[in-house]
Amino acid sequence: MKNRIQGKSMDEWKREHPLLEQIIRTHEVFWTNPQYVGSSDRIITPILSEVDIQDAEKRLLRFAPYIAKVFPKTSETKGIIESPLVKIDKMKEELKALYNQEISGSLYLKCDSHLPISGSVKARGGIYEVLKIAEDIAIEKRIVVETDDYTILASEKCRELFSGYSIVVGSTGNLGLSIGIMGAILGFKVIVHMSSDAKQWKKDLLREKGVTVLEYDSDYAQAVEAGRIQAQQEENSYFIDDENSQNLFLGYAVAGKRLKQQLEHLQILVDQDHPLFVYLPCGVGGAPGGITFGLKTVFDDHVHCFFAEPTHSPAMLLGLMTRLHDKVSVQEFGIDNVTDADGLAVGRPSGFVGKTLEKDISGVFTIQDQELYRLLRRLADSEGIYLEPSALAGFAGPVKLFAESKGRQYLEQSNLRSKMKNATHIVWATGGSMVPEEMMSHFYNKDKAGE
Ligand SMILES: *Cc1c(COP(=O)(O)O)cnc(C)c1O
């Protein structure tokens, strides 16, 4: 029997998880996680704690003067890389019209699409990890101590020091962008291994910054593997491991407390009578996972985190559902991992993220590419906000939460039905502001073309 997956036949898997039938047919689904538990039973993670997030926050603060200096656009926020949270009432009306579904509560967009420096959620994790590497080297070489003014790192002398080190990463695009831009400005040699689905403009932009881009005729997993091998063979070489990196994860996790401040500023309550729902596009899982980790440490049971994946790349969904995590890929279940949502085109999820957050992720839903384009156009028309296709995946969440029986069941079981009028829904917009205009207009027109 060749077609066995971790010892079980496809029929056995389907019997155990009837929803698999729909997933394999690449139909849209809404899955709630039976492993999800309330905080009283939750050990968030034995490996990482709130203290690690605080440590990451402090590191970003130490680097803020440096960031403000080398990226003048961030001087307004004093070198803090953060994005706006905006209320999108008009889009809420659009969703109602499109899907004939009322969303109870208010709807917001977290615009990581407009994060400075690299225009995607990767400006959290990717940049953080590069800064961590730079600081470790600078401290070891006695260039700085933690209490120093880090703007000294912009000096020629420091850039020369960093040029003796290389940073290697495998990426579908956006991670490469954030690591490449940050690494290059510090003076590092950066080598980005890109999968075939990465967009040309991202490769061009990186090369312009002096980054070495190696291209692969295969998917993301092979690009990552090639990067890993290269880094092992070279001295003074750091491999940024999208699938397992705790530093990336912590960089994303800082979003939790930052969001709390933003919500307070907008006078939005989050407590047992005012639930918070967050919908996060998921590729390998690091970004949505880290953000979930950060949010759970801040809001505990009052936040409900759902991940969004393309119907053709439901990697985290399969990993969590079968509990095989990184021991399973979408291809093994006959799913092709072909999607226009390039940031989400991942066939095998991070085992680290899946296992760490097994009890914290409320559920996972999938969305078709064609819907991403439809939503892209509606959001642009109604709110004037332009996102890349991946970044729209979250919008299916609030719709399906109310439309699907599993969603309504979740609300019932969590005792939230009567509280939903006070709920805040945040769709996490993960990228888009750096997409060239011509490309964006192509995305925008895709919707019409498909109808
Ligand atoms: C990378 C990315 C994601 C998902 O992040 P993962 O860490 O891969 O799960 C979502 N949206 C966009 C636009 C991305 O670039």
Side-chain angles (χ1 to χ4, degrees):
M1 286 290 285
K2 272 212 317 236
N3 265 350
R4 296 182 86 80
I5 301 167
Q6 294 291 310
K8 284 185 207 170
S9 73
M10 188 65 93
D11 282 343
E12 284 171 287
W13 280 116
K14 284 183 186 169
R15 230 171 295 137
E16 215 170 295
H17 306 285
L19 193 66
L20 268 174
E21 195 75 54
Q22 303 292 312
I23 298 171
I24 291 167
R25 286 189 190 157
T26 67
H27 292 175
E28 290 190 356
V29 299
F30 185 89
W31 175 78
T32 50
N33 180 7
Q35 305 296 323
Y36 180 75
V37 291
S39 63
S40 49
D41 312 313
R42 188 195 314 126
I43 312 163
I44 259 212
T45 139
I47 323 166
L48 298 169
S49 72
E50 211 173 323
V51 176
D52 297 301
I53 305 179
Q54 283 160 9
D55 179 57
E57 274 170 0
K58 286 184 197 149
R59 183 162 293 104
L60 289 169
L61 281 176
R62 289 197 290 277
F63 270 99
Y66 169 81
I67 297 282
K69 180 174 175 147
V70 298
F71 298 108
K73 275 188 190 157
T74 65
S75 60
E76 223 171 280
T77 57
K78 299 193 165 60
I80 296 297
I81 303 163
E82 197 41 72
S83 75
L85 177 67
V86 296
K87 196 155 192 248
I88 45 171
D89 289 333
K90 290 184 203 124
M91 186 59 180
K92 196 178 158 197
E93 287 306 309
E94 290 289 331
L95 291 174
K96 187 179 167 186
L98 257 179
Y99 300 107
N100 195 20
Q101 180 61 56
E102 185 89 54
I103 294 163
S104 187
S106 37
L107 183 65
Y108 285 80
L109 192 69
K110 179 60 176 162
C111 300
D112 276 11
S113 45
H114 292 70
L115 278 173
I117 303 177
S118 72
S120 84
V121 68
K122 304 296 194 305
R124 297 185 185 277
I127 287 176
Y128 174 73
E129 178 145 12
V130 173
L131 297 179
K132 172 85 169 63
I133 292 170
E135 187 183 55
D136 287 350
I137 295 170
I139 287 176
E140 194 205 306
K141 299 288 177 194
R142 297 172 190 271
I143 304 277
V144 293
V145 293
E146 288 188 4
T147 47
D148 281 348
D149 177 351
Y150 279 16
T151 51
I152 186 189
L153 297 177
S155 68
E156 219 24 69
K157 184 177 143 227
C158 290
R159 287 182 44 87
E160 206 177 297
L161 166 71
F162 292 134
S163 72
Y165 297 83
S166 57
I167 296 179
V168 182
V169 66
S171 169
T172 60
N174 285 342
L175 185 64
L177 269 190
S178 82
I179 285 166
I181 295 171
M182 192 65 237
I185 207 154
L186 278 157
F188 285 101
K189 275 185 287 192
V190 188
I191 300 121
V192 179
H193 295 253
M194 288 255 189
S195 50
S196 55
D197 44 1
K199 296 274 185 292
Q200 189 59 42
W201 69 267
K202 295 181 183 174
K203 299 174 196 169
D204 295 343
L205 194 148
L206 281 173
R207 288 185 173 127
E208 225 169 84
K209 307 254 176 212
V211 171
T212 305
V213 179
L214 302 173
E215 298 176 54
Y216 293 85
D217 245 358
S218 52
D219 81 352
Y220 160 85
Q222 268 97 23
V224 171
E225 213 31 53
R228 195 192 309 273
I229 291 166
Q230 190 202 12
Q232 280 164 355
Q233 288 166 347
E234 270 175 44
E235 249 178 275
N236 290 340
S237 187
Y238 291 84
F239 174 64
I240 295 187
D241 186 346
D242 198 11
E243 289 164 350
N244 298 294
S245 167
Q246 293 184 11
N247 285 323
L248 272 178
F249 191 78
L250 289 170
Y252 292 123
V254 170
K257 216 187 265 170
R258 299 254 189 95
L259 185 72
K260 179 169 189 266
Q261 287 164 358
Q262 279 184 319
L263 289 167
E264 282 169 0
H265 189 72
L266 295 168
Q267 298 184 315
I268 298 167
L269 287 175
V270 179
D271 58 28
Q272 65 179 33
D273 296 316
H274 301 79
L276 174 63
F277 286 76
V278 181
Y279 309 95
L280 300 144
C282 177
V284 75
I291 293 168
T292 295
F293 177 56
L295 289 171
K296 282 288 178 186
T297 60
V298 173
F299 296 115
D300 227 314
D301 274 2
H302 308 320
V303 66
H304 306 267
C305 300
F306 288 86
F307 288 12
E309 295 189 303
T311 50
H312 285 256
S313 306
M316 188 57 77
L317 171 56
L318 286 179
L320 287 170
M321 174 187 257
T322 61
R323 304 189 70 192
L324 293 174
H325 303 295
D326 55 342
K327 300 286 180 296
V328 73
S329 68
V330 303
Q331 288 92 344
E332 285 170 274
F333 278 93
I335 304 167
D336 59 11
N337 191 30
V338 175
T339 167
D340 282 358
D342 44 346
L344 313 181
V346 173
R348 187 184 297 277
S350 158
F352 160 62
V353 170
K355 287 173 211 164
T356 303
L357 298 175
E358 200 166 30
K359 296 183 164 65
D360 298 297
I361 299 167
S362 291
V364 184
F365 54 89
T366 58
I367 180 167
Q368 292 180 0
D369 281 13
Q370 153 202 336
E371 293 305 311
L372 298 175
Y373 289 118
R374 196 132 85 125
L375 291 160
L376 188 153
R377 191 180 181 108
R378 295 288 175 124
L379 183 69
D381 290 347
S382 63
E383 305 280 353
I385 302 171
Y386 290 77
L387 304 181
E388 63 184 276
S390 301
L392 291 128
F395 276 107
V399 176
K400 289 191 192 303
L401 180 69
F402 294 102
E404 302 265 336
S405 61
K406 283 286 177 195
R408 293 194 299 267
Q409 225 173 54
Y410 180 91
L411 298 179
E412 197 72 56
Q413 282 164 359
S414 321
N415 244 329
L416 291 171
R417 278 285 285 275
S418 61
K419 300 170 184 169
M420 290 313 285
K421 58 182 188 306
N422 304 326
T424 302
H425 302 271
I426 298 180
V427 172
W428 213 280
T430 44
S433 65
M434 281 175 65
V435 175
E437 216 174 297
E438 191 188 288
M439 190 87 200
M440 189 54 86
S441 114
H442 169 72
F443 289 154
Y444 180 88
N445 287 312
K446 272 248 177 175
D447 176 40
K448 228 177 19 193
E451 272 178 357

